[in-house]
Amino acid sequence: MNEQAVPGRVGDVRRRNLSLVLDSIARTGDAKPSRAQLAAGTGLTKAAVSSLVAELVESGLVSEVGLYRDGERGRPGQGLELSTRRGVVGMEINVDYLAVGLVDLGGTLRFSSTVESHNRGLKPREVMGRLAGLAAEARAAAAGAGIAVLGGGLAVPGLVDERRGIVLSAPNLHWDNEELEAEALLGEVPLGVRLSNEANSAALGELWYGGAPVDFLYVSGEVGVGGGVIIGSELYLGPGGSAGELGHIVVQPDGPACSCGGVGCLETFAGQEAIFEAAGIPAGSLSQRTDALHAALAANEPGAGKAVHDAGTYLGVALASAARLMDIEAVVLGGHFAELGQWLRPALLAGMERHAPGLLDPANVTVSGLKHSGTLLGAAGQVIRSVIESPLDLVLAAKPA
């Protein structure tokens, strides 16, 4: 009888145990555990683990690698790892660029591509058309590497309704209540395409693939300034799903108007465009302006130095407020904040110490090592985590009819 039709106690146990074994393999990372080690670690019998692993290998979710001995006696065991022949496409829409990446189940970024694209004010259909071209590149890369694409994750700089696939509000794109029809980006894939917020995805990328602690605030620096809150290794969204909007903390009550409709927000002082303007960087492409800013900073030009110093100071003010409110223990800086880290960090730490003295250890304010790939890894990683948490459907789909 088809187990999908009778999801009773036996089916529930099987679902849970498949997830337990798959999660155990995922958590060991490069250690590549044997069946015997999995049995010892999960508390399941060796026979049960062997049966479950056989199903996971047959479905393509797990690969057997190498031979080694656990001790001096006994037959050599085979190591197990999440399959490098299954993957997820991470995608990102931002104000001035589009990006895609192919991530295998083990979390390795196998292919990535980023193109500058001025998306502010464009209709979602036009932006999605451009992104579809990049997604096709990722699928071609997957096919060339023999990787089956299970699904995709799409991150955007705004508040989203993941269930309905709608961008509720993305002020810097000028989008409100826009349905993106993200499923069309990858065609027929088993797990579809999951919509998420860009900063939240980047925070999860740091948690899963960047070595971040179990509790931290991720700060995303792009045209806008976003934040992702991780508590106990879980993303905290808040009742309305908008927790972490650090860019719209007011740092100067009489400051300039912000895209959110308020005034004096952090974004108006520390966002990418705000820094370029304050530094006197002329109009041009994103890469040209970024290179010009870095060159000006390296040459100790006063205007550029002051612009980044002021941005760091205001960011420190916002982080001081966040630290007092949420009792955060660590901060990870991403996006252009990571690229400007050496120039930005002194003013940031001074601002924090002035407004929240001793509250956050400077050693716990770090720069992302993932840089711009964090969002792609996090967007794809959410789909990968869904596979690890519930692999049964893919296991059943792989069985002969």
Side-chain angles (χ1 to χ4, degrees):
M1 185 174 291
N2 189 319
E3 188 171 339
Q4 288 177 300
V6 186
R9 184 178 177 185
V10 174
D12 291 342
V13 170
R14 183 183 176 201
R15 183 184 300 274
R16 184 170 62 250
N17 287 344
L18 279 167
S19 177
L20 176 62
V21 169
L22 195 57
D23 183 61
S24 297
I25 295 171
R27 288 179 185 277
T28 56
D30 294 334
K32 298 177 176 52
S34 67
R35 289 164 173 79
Q37 290 170 331
L38 287 174
T42 61
L44 299 173
T45 66
K46 291 182 180 180
V49 167
S50 292
S51 175
L52 294 164
V53 167
E55 291 189 284
L56 292 169
V57 170
E58 182 183 0
S59 68
L61 299 179
V62 167
S63 298
E64 296 175 309
V65 289
L67 289 172
Y68 64 91
R69 292 183 182 276
D70 292 334
E72 293 183 1
R73 298 182 179 181
R75 298 172 59 185
Q78 284 186 300
L80 300 164
E81 66 178 6
L82 295 184
S83 176
T84 59
R85 296 296 183 182
R86 298 290 184 273
V88 173
V89 177
M91 297 168 281
E92 180 184 2
I93 295 171
N94 221 300
V95 177
D96 44 21
Y97 68 87
L98 300 170
V100 301
L102 174 66
V103 184
D104 67 30
L105 292 189
T108 299
L109 186 64
R110 304 288 292 274
F111 165 85
S112 66
S113 179
T114 301
V115 297
E116 292 193 20
S117 176
H118 300 291
N119 300 317
R120 190 195 302 268
L122 294 182
K123 295 294 184 183
R125 181 173 296 180
E126 184 174 351
V127 176
M128 294 294 280
R130 295 179 180 182
L131 184 60
L134 286 181
E137 291 182 24
R139 296 209 69 176
I147 298 173
V149 175
L150 298 178
L154 172 59
V156 299
L159 183 63
V160 305
D161 183 328
E162 177 190 325
R163 184 180 59 82
R164 294 188 296 155
I166 291 175
V167 178
L168 299 174
S169 176
N172 286 315
L173 289 172
H174 300 167
W175 290 358
D176 289 292
N177 293 309
E178 297 285 359
E179 185 174 357
L180 295 189
E181 299 181 358
E183 300 287 341
L185 289 169
L186 296 178
E188 293 294 326
V189 289
L191 301 178
V193 177
R194 179 171 181 167
L195 187 64
S196 63
N197 169 268
E198 165 262 330
N200 287 338
S201 288
L204 290 170
E206 292 293 334
L207 174 68
W208 293 327
Y209 308 114
V214 297
D215 302 287
F216 68 98
L217 171 64
Y218 176 83
V219 185
S220 167
E222 304 292 349
V223 169
V225 176
V229 183
I230 302 292
I231 300 175
S233 295
E234 298 288 339
L235 178 67
Y236 176 71
L237 294 173
S242 60
E245 286 292 322
L246 190 76
H248 300 294
I249 287 180
V250 176
V251 293
Q252 191 180 97
D254 297 323
C258 179
S259 63
C260 73
V263 297
C265 297
L266 172 64
E267 187 172 295
T268 64
F269 297 97
Q272 201 167 57
E273 189 63 34
I275 294 175
F276 286 150
E277 289 186 6
I281 303 299
S285 69
L286 174 61
S287 59
Q288 289 171 337
R289 302 184 85 189
T290 299
D291 289 346
L293 176 62
H294 288 188
L297 290 167
N300 294 316
E301 292 185 10
K306 183 177 186 306
V308 174
H309 178 276
D310 290 349
T313 299
Y314 282 116
L315 181 55
V317 172
L319 289 174
S321 297
R324 289 193 182 280
L325 184 65
M326 298 187 294
D327 191 27
I328 56 174
E329 297 180 349
V331 172
V332 178
L333 303 175
H336 72 254
F337 293 140
E339 296 175 351
L340 296 173
Q342 62 177 304
W343 299 289
L344 184 96
R345 198 167 183 272
L348 183 160
L349 294 177
M352 287 189 59
E353 184 60 23
R354 180 182 181 188
H355 297 282
L359 198 59
L360 191 62
D361 187 341
N364 291 339
V365 180
T366 59
V367 168
S368 170
L370 299 178
K371 298 183 179 178
H372 288 288
S373 67
T375 301
L376 297 177
L377 286 165
Q382 292 174 75
V383 181
I384 293 171
R385 288 305 308 176
S386 74
V387 172
I388 293 170
E389 291 167 3
S390 185
L392 181 58
D393 289 344
L394 291 173
V395 168
L396 292 173
K399 292 184 176 297

